[in-house]
Structures are given as structure tokens and as C-alpha cells.
Amino acid sequence: MAGRRARAPRPVARAAAVRVPFPPERLWPLVTSTDRMDRVVGLPPARFTHAPLPQGGEEHRGAYTILGRPVVRWVEHPFEWEWPRHYAVLREYQSGPLVRYYGGAELVPVAGGTRLRVFSGFTPRHRLLAPLIRFALAPLALRRASRQYRAFAAYLAGRADDPFPTLQAVRTRADLPRLDALVARLRAEDAPAEPLAHLRRWLAEAADEDVAGMRPLELAARWGADPRATLATFLRATVAGLLELRWELLCPGCRGVKVAAPHLRELRLSGRCPACNLHFVATADEAIEARFYPAPAVRAVTLGTYCVGGPMATPHRLAQAALPPGAARTWRLDLAPGAYLLRSPQGPGVLALEAAAGGPARLEVRLDAAGVAPATATIAAGPVELRLTNAGAAGATATLDDARWSALGATPGRLMTLPDFRGLFSAEALAPGAELAVGRVGLLFSDLAGSTALYERAGDARAFRLVGEHFALLQAEIEAAGGALVKTIGDAVMAAFPDGRAALAAALALQRAIRTLDTAGLADPGRLLKVGVHAGACYAVTLNERLDYFGAAVNLAARAQQAARGGEVVATAAAHAEGADLVVAAGLRAEPCDLPLRGLDAPARLYRIAYRAPGPAESP
């Protein structure tokens, strides 16, 4: 009829559900791998650009192209999710057959597993397209997604090696003769055999996205390989020309890479993340990772993008929501004890949230132009509700992040405890004046008891030989215990370990090993060595052009060594707490004592561990 307005097309909504015998927590990383899920359902690669928003943050704009020209363009709104229950995304199209798409997945716990429901709503640009979407395109996408969910169940049950068996991986060809020649060279140089075999297979067979930005500790967990041996293998492979190492600075919000450099001293320790609307300076070493890429001569890598902003782009993020002005949203989460950060790129400030037993089960949070309120809060560990209200005049995206950094990052602090790093990458150092907080490290100091008298009795030449042999013996035991020799200072040694337990294990091993040293009667090997150990936070700095440690923890470890008598290990309370069972297993006793240490206001609780009773004339 003339003059009658054409009705706008209505959304075509479809859904499908699959039951799988695994809990939502195990399925979440697979189901929310949206980049791969988009490929599974048949979407082509997309080109994304990012435009700053006036109120802060970024707008993601996507396009499908043909011959380099965009034929379908859209705005991708922020994904919304609550771990591990559901996620969804809204796309609004400026061109192409659709006006709007809204879809996602729900993971509902049921008896014996999870009900996985995938849903989608397509709004066609023209009504004539609705039947095609309703009876062909939407059912096809849902069938493929449902089949993929069943594949997840097979993978988690151990019946399949690949969670995405139907996915055609983008895999550029490796130069296999060059790859095998370099692997053979590393094998001849006694590189760790198991991780080297895994690395060779990975470089030859894995998808491009899996070999770009490799994290050795993450791969070691996947391969079931020894973490330190895997790290050492990657470092040796870099020196051999098989891999390239890049130091990457991560945003403290989204943990995305914002700055990269081939050498640590060239890495700028400050950056800006437009997506998070954050200017930041790295003060903790967890914000820097060494990641590895195939050397281009071995394998060139081509990366395509299918999705941005999905939950697995920020796996530390438990929840995200877009709130229009005046809107409210309730997150229902199950929080483990620990620290969390709630922020919005559309406003300053952050809520530092501590989940602990006895906290309230519900919290009201307000977002506006002034920031987030409250600034600090405690909430219960376990099931909780966070009620968010956007009281500002503009839309806001709220995010809740686990404040802990990944334990699988090859950070400077972790690498500094690795002998291969200190040996092969001795020139790596921070820029002058830079320092990074290292969360926790085990520290060991040793020195010779009565070295002045030893030099007088033996003469310089014989004493120098004996001291050199003692250094070699100590270095072997330190590395066997999982640490690295940081430096020698005269007759003294400083070593670093991943934790206090490893440091104490090394200290006990040193006192055992030193008794095998042939002193030619010049000294009693059982009373020759004094060892002190401590565990704590310190700083990584550059000293004498090399990475070194600085801070109160270093001083306390050195003071513990000074308090030791020949033949003793003196452990601080922190180090002893981590390895007390090692002392008992060695048939030794740890005698507690409170001693005044230079530079400390109050006496320190120390533990003396001796292999024999000290002589009457001995003193610290």
C-alpha cells in the first residue's frame, strides 16, 4: 500500500545446547577461545582498527575485505562475560548483509557436568535475507559450534590430542633442513634432550599463532617437560640462531604487549595502553617477559586475526561489562582468596579488592567521571555479588582482574636464577638507573672461614689454587640445586635461587661437598665454609654492566653468612620456614637463636645448622 512504511527486519534468533561431562571451569578456556571458534564456524579473517573514544578507551572496528577493499564493516562492542558462566558480544554493521549480531555462550553446571548453550541473533539488513539466515546460515554455524563442543569433551577426556580437530591451522612451512641442522648442533652441545625434541616438533608442526611469542614455561607445562630445562633450551636455541628473543613490556591492565626490544637495556620501561587508558611505568619484573619467535630463516610466520577482545585475550580477567549511563549490573562470581582490581578505561582510579574469609558476600560499586568508589574493599572468598552502577554521563566498561601476574612468564627475575642465562646472555642488563622489584628470590652467600690465616700458611699460589677449586665445587652444587652463581666477591660467593627452599638445599649440599675438597692439610674442610641463606623480595638492578640484586633481602642474606661459623649454615626464619624438612631429612638440627645483625634495629631470628659441634675458640 502506497505510503505504508516498510517494517524493519526482526532478529533471527537461534540456539543449540550440548551436555558435556566436565565442569565449566575446565571448559571455559576452550569455549571462550573466540578467535578459533570464529574460524570453526566458518568466518573469514578480519582486519581490525582501533579508534580512541572521547571518554577513554578504544572502539574496535572490524572489516571483511576482498582484494583489499572492505565489503563488510562493523563496530565491535566490548565483550561481556562472567567467568566461568557466560560471554556475549554485540556487533553493529555499517555495511554488508547484517545490521546487528548478538551472540555468545552459556556454561550452566548440571549433574555430572555442564550444559553448554550457544546462542546467536542476526538482524538482516533486508527482510528477504531472513529465510536464508533462519534455515541455512544460522543452523550451519550452530551445528559446527555444537560439534566443536563435543570435540572439547573428547579432548578433556584424553580421547583426542587436539581440542580443535577440524580447524585448518595457518601453518607456514619451516625450512626443515636448516631446522634439523640447528637441532643437531644443539644436541651435540648437550642441550636438554626432551625439551629440544618438543621444540623441534613444535617449530615444524604447530600453527603460526602458537609459535609466535612462545612462552617457554607455558609450553613446558603443556609438554610435561622440566620448566628450567625448557627455559635453558630456548636460550641455547636463541644463541644457535634457531629462535629470536624479544623482551616485551606488558600493560598492567590487559597484560597486552605495549613495548618490545631485542635487548633488555633497550626496553623502555614506561608505556601507554589506549585500550585501558593507562600510562604506566614498570616497577615489578612480572611486567616484563622474554618471549621467543622462530628465526625467519627457519620459519616465517603469518598471523591472521579473526576476533579481538574475547575472554581469552585477557585470561586473567574474570568479568567485563558495558554499562550505559545510569545502568546497573550485578556480577555473580566465585572468588578465590586473593587480590583483585576493578577499573574502567572511562574513568580514573581503581578499586583494590581483597577476597578473604569472613568478608561480606555483596559489594556496591559506583563508577562515574571521578573514578571508581570505593577505592579499597574486602569481600568474601567464595560466591559473591558485585553490584555495579554507572552514575556517570557516558557509557563505561567495567573490568575485574586477578591482580596476580602469571607464574608462567620468563621474567628477568626468573631468568637471573638460571645459569644458562647468566652465561649465554651475560651482556643483558637493565638501562642505567632502572630497577625492578622481584617478588621473591632465594639468596645464598658463602665465605671461607679464616681465609687470612690460610693465605699465610699456604702462601698465595697454593691458597689461590685451593680457593679456585672451592669456587668450581660451589658452582656445580649451586647449579645442581637449581640456582645460578651471581658473582664472587674475594673468597665469597653470592647465588640466587627460585625460592628459599632451593637456596637452603644448596647450602646443605655445599657443606656436604666441601668436605670432599683436598686441602692438602692446609685447612679442615669441615670447618672451611660459612654459608648464609635468606628468601625475600628485592630489586633487580644493573651493577658493573651485569644484572644483579639489591635491597634489604640481599643485606640480610649477607648478614646471615657473617653470623655463621666455619662448617655452619645460618638460615633466616624465612628461608628455614621453606625448607625445615630438608634439615630434618639430612639428620641435622636447626638451633634457633636471636642475633643482632649490623644494619638491623632489632635482633633477627636465625637458625644455626652445623654438621659438627664448633670448636671452643670459634666465633662468628
Side-chain angles (χ1 to χ4, degrees):
M1 180 181 296
R4 179 177 294 178
R5 180 180 298 177
R7 286 183 301 168
R10 292 192 299 177
V12 177
R14 286 289 181 269
V18 175
R19 286 198 178 209
V20 293
F22 294 96
E25 292 80 4
R26 293 195 64 188
L27 291 161
W28 180 260
L30 300 171
V31 173
T32 60
S33 186
T34 52
D35 195 84
R36 293 187 176 185
M37 287 298 300
D38 281 0
R39 291 160 58 191
V40 164
V41 300
L43 294 178
R47 187 173 66 194
F48 284 92
T49 57
H50 311 282
L53 294 169
Q55 65 270 33
E58 287 186 321
E59 179 180 80
H60 302 309
R61 299 172 181 174
Y64 295 133
T65 62
I66 296 179
L67 299 177
R69 297 177 62 85
V71 293
V72 176
R73 293 180 293 110
W74 70 90
V75 171
E76 185 148 314
H77 292 267
F79 273 74
E80 298 190 283
W81 69 85
E82 292 176 34
W83 177 91
R85 295 291 186 261
H86 67 84
Y87 80 89
V89 65
L90 169 65
R91 287 180 170 182
E92 292 186 306
Y93 291 82
Q94 284 79 49
S95 64
L98 297 178
V99 173
R100 190 174 186 270
Y101 167 80
Y102 180 77
E106 295 176 344
L107 296 80
V108 181
V110 295
T114 300
R115 180 177 180 265
L116 269 171
R117 178 178 176 268
V118 58
F119 60 90
S120 59
F122 303 87
T123 303
R125 193 168 297 278
H126 303 290
R127 290 169 54 197
L128 294 177
L129 293 173
L132 177 64
I133 295 172
R134 178 177 290 110
F135 298 111
L137 299 182
L140 176 62
L142 293 177
R143 282 198 303 272
R144 288 175 174 174
S146 299
R147 184 171 64 229
Q148 181 58 59
Y149 292 164
R150 295 187 185 95
F152 291 157
Y155 171 74
L156 293 174
R159 300 193 304 271
D161 295 329
D162 189 346
F164 293 92
T166 64
L167 197 62
Q168 282 293 109
V170 178
R171 185 184 298 111
T172 53
R173 290 178 61 84
D175 184 334
L176 293 180
R178 180 182 288 272
L179 171 62
D180 288 332
L182 291 172
V183 168
R185 173 181 158 187
L186 288 164
R187 193 178 294 119
E189 295 172 354
D190 294 325
E194 183 188 5
L196 182 59
H198 284 300
L199 177 59
R200 190 268 171 208
R201 178 183 57 81
W202 197 250
L203 291 175
E205 300 176 6
D208 282 8
E209 63 191 294
D210 291 329
V211 298
M214 291 177 286
R215 305 173 76 211
L217 296 174
E218 187 174 73
L219 288 173
R222 178 169 183 162
W223 296 337
D226 178 80
R228 290 176 66 82
T230 302
L231 264 178
T233 299
F234 273 70
L235 293 171
R236 294 193 188 189
T238 299
V239 174
L242 185 62
L243 302 176
E244 291 184 346
L245 181 156
R246 296 183 202 168
W247 295 98
E248 298 182 341
L249 177 67
L250 310 182
C251 167
C254 65
R255 312 283 168 88
V257 178
K258 300 304 166 185
V259 183
H263 298 289
L264 191 54
R265 68 170 63 249
E266 298 170 3
L267 185 70
R268 192 173 75 248
L269 298 187
S270 62
R272 181 178 184 274
C273 179
C276 296
N277 196 19
L278 280 179
H279 290 272
F280 61 92
V281 177
T283 57
D285 87 313
E286 293 99 331
I288 298 172
E289 286 192 23
R291 296 185 181 177
F292 297 81
Y293 297 76
V298 173
R299 178 174 171 181
V301 172
T302 302
L303 295 179
T305 303
Y306 292 79
C307 179
V308 295
M312 290 313 295
T314 50
H316 67 293
R317 183 157 292 169
L318 278 73
Q320 181 167 293
L323 286 81
R329 176 72 57 85
T330 298
W331 284 335
R332 293 174 176 84
L333 301 166
D334 196 339
L335 297 182
Y340 300 85
L341 298 173
L342 193 154
R343 58 163 59 94
S344 170
Q346 286 76 43
V350 62
L351 163 58
L353 187 62
E354 185 72 25
R362 181 179 172 86
L363 180 68
E364 296 279 347
V365 180
R366 174 189 172 96
L367 296 87
D368 57 27
V372 183
T376 61
T378 300
I379 199 167
V384 296
E385 289 187 0
L386 275 73
R387 176 73 172 177
L388 312 176
T389 302
N390 180 9
T397 299
T399 62
L400 181 70
D401 296 338
D402 189 327
R404 294 170 298 178
W405 288 86
S406 170
L408 299 179
T411 64
R414 185 182 292 270
L415 288 172
M416 286 170 67
T417 68
L418 202 68
D420 286 274
F421 178 74
R422 303 201 71 94
L424 298 173
F425 293 83
S426 59
E428 289 292 342
L430 293 165
E435 59 183 39
L436 291 172
V438 179
R440 191 167 186 83
V441 65
L443 295 165
L444 177 151
F445 280 84
S446 75
D447 201 0
L448 296 178
S451 58
T452 301
L454 173 65
Y455 275 88
E456 290 176 353
R457 288 194 304 271
D460 287 349
R462 295 176 68 190
F464 182 78
R465 175 191 59 78
L466 182 62
V467 170
E469 291 176 357
H470 128 274
F471 279 146
L473 183 149
L474 264 57
Q475 182 168 358
E477 294 296 335
I478 287 166
E479 294 182 2
L485 181 67
V486 176
K487 59 186 175 184
T488 60
I489 314 119
D491 302 328
V493 159
M494 176 185 178
F497 299 82
D499 51 44
R501 180 180 178 81
L504 185 53
L508 299 176
L510 294 185
Q511 288 291 13
R512 286 194 299 269
I514 200 69
R515 285 157 171 73
T516 68
L517 185 67
D518 182 5
T519 62
L522 298 173
D524 177 1
R527 299 186 180 186
L528 186 60
L529 195 66
K530 307 188 301 175
V531 186
V533 292
H534 177 55
C538 58
Y539 290 91
V541 298
T542 295
L543 187 63
N544 297 324
E545 299 299 315
R546 297 198 63 174
L547 283 171
D548 204 340
Y549 295 97
F550 169 80
V554 178
N555 294 335
L556 188 51
R559 300 289 183 267
Q561 176 268 310
Q562 293 165 3
R565 298 182 281 244
E568 283 186 345
V569 172
V570 170
T572 65
H576 180 260
E578 293 186 35
D581 61 309
L582 300 175
V583 179
V584 175
L588 304 173
R589 293 182 62 189
E591 297 290 344
C593 57
D594 294 312
L595 294 178
L597 297 181
R598 192 173 77 247
L600 297 180
D601 295 334
R605 169 55 57 100
L606 301 175
Y607 291 82
R608 291 190 181 278
I609 307 162
Y611 277 77
R612 43 134 204 95
E618 279 192 293
S619 61

